[in-house]
Amino acid sequence: MALHQTTEHHDNSIEDIYASGASERCLPKYRLPDQSTEASTAYSLVHDELMLDGNSRQNLATFCTTWVEPQVQKLMAEALDKNMIDKDEYPQTAELENRCVHILADLWHAQQSWETVGCSTTGSSEAAMLGGLAFKWKWRKRREAEGKDASKPNIVTGPVQICWLKFARYFDVEIREVPLEGDALGLKPEDLRRYCDENTIGVVATLGVTFTGIYEPVEALARELDAMQRDLGLDIPIHVDAASGGFIAPFIQRDLVWDFQIERVRSINASGHKYGLAPLGVGWVIWASKKDLPEELIFNVDYLGGNMPTFALNFSRPGGEIIAQYYNFLRLGREGYTAIQQACSDTAQWLGAELAKLEPFEMVYDGHGGLPAVAYRLTDSDHGYTLYDLSERVRMRGWQIASYPLPLNRKNTVVQRILIRHGVSRDLAQLLLNDIKSAIQHLTKNPVPNSTAKPGFHHG
Ligand SMILES: *Cc1c(COP(=O)(O)O)cnc(C)c1O
């Protein structure tokens, strides 16, 4: 009898979320449940399901922030209600955004930082769209003023991140992605004359090429465009996609000339949520001067109160990431960013040197001169396994390491890339190295028959 009673009051008397209600059933996954669920139970169910996502700190395929200070978490929680677009209701969040824009303009050597304009975005992709649109509008206006055809714009790039392919398709611009010849890993000055013409709205140079982590030679590209202006009368601006490099070069490659120090560089984007160290959801785009951002692209919005200029693809957007970006600037300063990026870079170079010692590998990028990253390929001999197999093997230990082919014309070269970012200590890198070594040993002893390549990796 007593036992029976206990069972009867099961739900109420045992306050254990795994022995009550929703957690005792398989839940409907693709339709709205009829009933509501206790908050703590629902929380646990969602929280637990996300365990299957894997451990982001071990994801060395992504550039994005996976570790933040507790203070950032706190600020993010406090900013939950802040809508970035509503600059009237949240003028101070808007002010922090404005400060970030000018901090970045100054960091990137804008000659007259009071003359610069820029804004936050959801990430570098949106920033690239805005940068590309400004180029397209400026070019079209100039062509129309000259009475020339303005219907066939093109943009010239090296091996770009997918966002530039999106820009080209969404906004009807022909993309001329210069194929990689020989050992090339990026755009070269000597490519430009062949690919640019009077319809070129701009050249995109990437500081931190997605596929390998190398920097394209922005200064040399600009010199060649200067020469082309002298010889051919073409005045073609440069946009630097500094998604990652924009937060690396100013701190640890300070002698490198790549930014607004070069007159021809008219706009730059960077991802705050990559080496900017802010949480996911913030990017930046800055123009060298107000003249570089055509006014027709700016909308003035008055229905939130006040009259606010806005240039963005989305309307509402969370403000927390921008607040966290400002916090990082204030908290770390030049000193802190330099220390963090240098530590990452040192670890990448150390890892590069260790990987180079391993028999099956040939380094493609060893961590020197570009991003804190390494990229390598298998030597030409038959190993009995591919890099895809190796990726899969280390995945058993939780590591995510990307393997993918280089872009045209080097599609036959498959590389593996490891990114070292804030929160990846030397010790963690050593643990990874040990797991790579064990994986190689295992695969050497157990070759993979009919090993197939798995395309489809997306470059984060
Ligand atoms: C990551 C990346 C992008 C896209 O940035 P998001 O912030 O993820 O939108 C663009 N360009 C380069 C070079 C990148 O590395």
Side-chain angles (χ1 to χ4, degrees), residues 38 42 86 127 149 155 166 207 245:
E38 176 93 29
D86 200 342
D149 175 53
I155 192 160
K166 287 188 186 173
L207 202 73

Side-chain angles (χ1 to χ4, degrees), residues 63 123-125 161 163 206 208 210 241 243-244 271 273-274 460:
F63 292 91
S124 276
S125 300
Q161 210 266 357
C163 67
T206 306
T210 312
D241 180 351
S244 298
S271 293
H273 55 216
K274 291 184 176 175

Side-chain angles (χ1 to χ4, degrees), residues 77 88 110 289 291 294:
D88 202 54
S289 96
K291 293 194 289 289

Side-chain angles (χ1 to χ4, degrees), residues 131-140 142-143 150 152-156 164 167-168 171-174 196-204 235-239 266:
L133 281 171
F135 272 180
K136 185 178 172 181
W137 253 248
K138 290 235 12 160
W139 169 83
R140 191 166 56 197
R142 199 181 65 209
R143 296 284 292 177
K152 294 190 186 65
N154 70 67
I155 192 160
V156 173
W164 292 101
F167 163 73
F171 297 105
D172 243 332
V173 174
E174 177 200 349
C196 295
D197 57 29
E198 58 179 7
N199 291 319
T200 303
I201 62 172
V203 167
V204 177
D235 183 6
I236 301 171
I238 292 178
H239 174 96
R266 302 318 297 168

Side-chain angles (χ1 to χ4, degrees), residues 146-197:
E146 292 168 351
K148 291 179 179 159
D149 175 53
S151 65
K152 294 190 186 65
N154 70 67
I155 192 160
V156 173
T157 75
V160 273
Q161 210 266 357
I162 190 169
C163 67
W164 292 101
L165 307 180
K166 287 188 186 173
F167 163 73
R169 193 172 307 168
Y170 297 168
F171 297 105
D172 243 332
V173 174
E174 177 200 349
I175 188 160
R176 296 183 177 171
E177 201 176 1
V178 177
L180 298 175
E181 305 291 351
D183 287 341
L185 296 172
L187 191 59
K188 299 191 302 298
E190 54 268 36
D191 296 327
L192 293 174
R193 278 182 205 246
R194 256 192 306 153
Y195 288 88
C196 295
D197 57 29

